[in-house]
Structure formats: C-alpha cells, structure tokens
Amino acid sequence: MIFPAWLANPFKLSALGILGMNERNSRYISQYNDRHLYPLVDDKLKTKKLMLHAEIKVPGLIATINHQSQVKQLLHHLPKNRGFAIKPAKGSGGKGILVIINQDNDLYVKPNQKMLNMEQLQHHCSNILAGLYSLGGNPDVAIIEELIEFDPMFDGFSHEGVPDIRVIIFQGYPVMAMMRLSTKDSDGKANLHQGAVGVGLDLGTGKALHAVQFGQPISHHPDTQKALSELCVPDWHELLLLASRCYEETNLGYLGADIVIDKQIGPLVLELNARPGLSIQVANGSGLKPRLQQIAKIQHKRDAKHRVEYAQKHFASKPDFDEIEQDPN
C-alpha cells in the first residue's frame, strides 16, 4: 500500500495503528488462513455455491462457459433483452468483468453506452477461458451472472458502476468497512488503485467517516459533486451480519467480504477475499492494528449476531469531513 503524503509520517502511521503489508501477511493471513481453504474464495464459482448452500444471498447465476467449444454457442447462454455480467471465476482486482446493461437488436450496451457485438463477447469469453484475467494465468471458467439493479438511494454517489461495500472480518468480527464508488477515472470500476473513491464507514451506523481518491482526502464525488458526508448505508446491522456469517462458512480467520445492495433483493455477497488489501485504512483515516489486537484477545466464542453487536459497540467512530474541508492538506 502506498500511503498518501498526509499519512506518510512514520510517527503518524504508528499513532494511527496502520497495519503494513508484511505484518498483515505474517501475523494475520499466514496464522489465521489455512492455505487449503484459499480455493473456496479464489474461485468465485465455488464461493457462490458455498454461499447458496448456507442460504446467503449472492448474484444469480445464469450460466457458465467451461470450454472453448462452448464459446460459439454463447448466444444461447445469454438472457434476452436484459442486462448481465460476464466475469472470470478466478479473476482478481475487477479484471475481466464485463457488464452489459441492455441489448439493442444484435448489440450489447455497456454502462458507458459503448456497443459490443456477439463476436466481441465471444472474444472476451475466450480470453477468460485462456486465463488472461485469472490468478497465475491459469485456465479459467467464464461466469454469466444476473445484473445487479442499482439502488436509487445511491444516485449521485457513483459514476456508472454499482458501488460495493468491503468489510474486513477477523475471527468472525467486523473490524473495518468502506464503500467503493466508481468514477470516470476508474472507468466505472470500483477499484481504488484505478481511481475509484473509497469512503470509510462507521461500523456503528454505516455512515460515511472519511473519503479519499488517489490517496487524497476529498469531501465530494469528483464527477457528480455529491457530498460524500451524506452517504449512509441502510440496513447496516443486517449487512454486517451477512458479512460476519461468511466466517463460519469459509473458516478463514482474516477475510474481506464484498457486498452489493440490489434494489429488489437487498444485500448480496459479491465475492470473498483471503488476502484483502490495506487501502481500507486510508479510506477510514485510521489503522486496523488496534482492532485486530483487541479481537485477538477474546477467548470465548460468540455467534454472528453477538460478534456484530460487539463490533458496533466497540468500533464506532466519528466522521471527519469537517476537518477535511477546513484543512485539505
């Protein structure tokens, strides 16, 4: 993780309890995540089946393309006259995800209104199968999913793409959360390193705490000028409960859960990550270490409901947008 100038002072990093990459890997991932469990979350198809078995809601599966011989028959696997998403089962960082929001005769419409024909969709699927977007470049499977319906409550908070919520779960306890908002710079994707906005969220309420783009504090969405301090995620307790339950289903002690809110269905688990990045600390303007150390001391077990109640009580925070507007440096 590259720290922004406003957070580069080592004394400030230490005071904020910032967790570094080496410590994350050695103290948390290697100790709490057994490697044989990685395929459960590295393969989105396995994750989807695991969540469905546990009655945890996920985006609907339309079809899978497993072999190059199936690519020529792609048209027969796609829904008619509505949107969908094609993604690699073993992709990472949003690479290889193609979202189609509508169809116009024989053409397929992307969120930026660019049109693709069937040959281009087939070429994309063929690249996925060849491993162009997969971890390690290994052969992969193309997943075709139902399109998530953007909830209008987030109008103005994101440019083209659907915002998602990343929750870090440690030993089943939510310890930090952020919402990722797409921008023109990120080309409608929710990846912070591509220019998306990261908004730290208060674990107590789901309200916005702090926001950054390219590592710099901001107070408004760069494209829509919507005030980010107005952002508040509804049904916050239920969303945290959904994220916390993923701990029991994967047995991964240190986990990132990515959740989206569908207008019709509500919160859905989009994917899980056994090596979640550390930029969530920049988005929150605070470090993970004190919270991780506090959870590590807990000896007795709690169910998901009581873990979430503990986190909401002990890790609640106050927003600092006023400080950013007064002192942007």
Side-chain angles (χ1 to χ4, degrees), residues 185-308:
D185 287 322
S186 71
D187 193 25
K189 296 180 179 178
N191 300 95
L192 266 58
H193 67 276
Q194 293 176 315
V197 171
V199 182
L201 298 173
D202 173 29
L203 281 185
T205 62
K207 293 181 179 179
L209 292 172
H210 180 84
V212 294
Q213 186 190 29
F214 296 118
Q216 295 301 314
I218 59 174
S219 58
H220 293 72
H221 191 283
D223 303 317
T224 67
Q225 301 308 312
K226 184 89 170 182
L228 298 172
S229 59
E230 298 175 3
L231 180 62
C232 181
V233 179
D235 301 322
W236 183 239
H237 179 83
E238 285 69 25
L239 188 148
L240 291 180
L241 191 59
L242 188 71
S244 180
R245 287 180 57 201
C246 295
Y247 167 65
E248 273 86 5
E249 301 308 322
T250 62
N251 289 313
L252 290 166
Y254 187 82
L255 181 68
D258 294 344
I259 296 173
V260 293
I261 300 178
D262 184 274
K263 181 175 68 175
Q264 304 294 340
I265 305 173
L268 306 170
V269 172
L270 191 62
E271 62 181 72
L272 302 175
N273 195 321
R275 319 166 196 80
L278 296 170
S279 57
I280 193 170
Q281 300 175 107
V282 180
N284 276 266
S286 62
L288 280 162
K289 281 173 67 173
R291 300 182 183 189
L292 297 174
Q293 291 166 351
Q294 183 173 333
I295 296 300
K297 294 177 182 176
I298 297 175
Q299 298 296 320
H300 55 284
K301 292 186 177 180
R302 292 185 171 97
D303 61 17
K305 175 177 179 294
H306 291 95
R307 293 196 302 264
V308 169

Side-chain angles (χ1 to χ4, degrees), residues 26 84 87 92 111 128 148 166 191 232 247 252 259 268 280 288 315 319 321 323:
S26 63
F84 55 86
K87 59 177 64 173
S92 65
I128 290 176
I148 297 163
R166 161 69 59 88
N191 300 95
C232 181
Y247 167 65
L252 290 166
I259 296 173
L268 306 170
I280 193 170
L288 280 162
F315 301 144
F321 282 101
E323 295 175 16

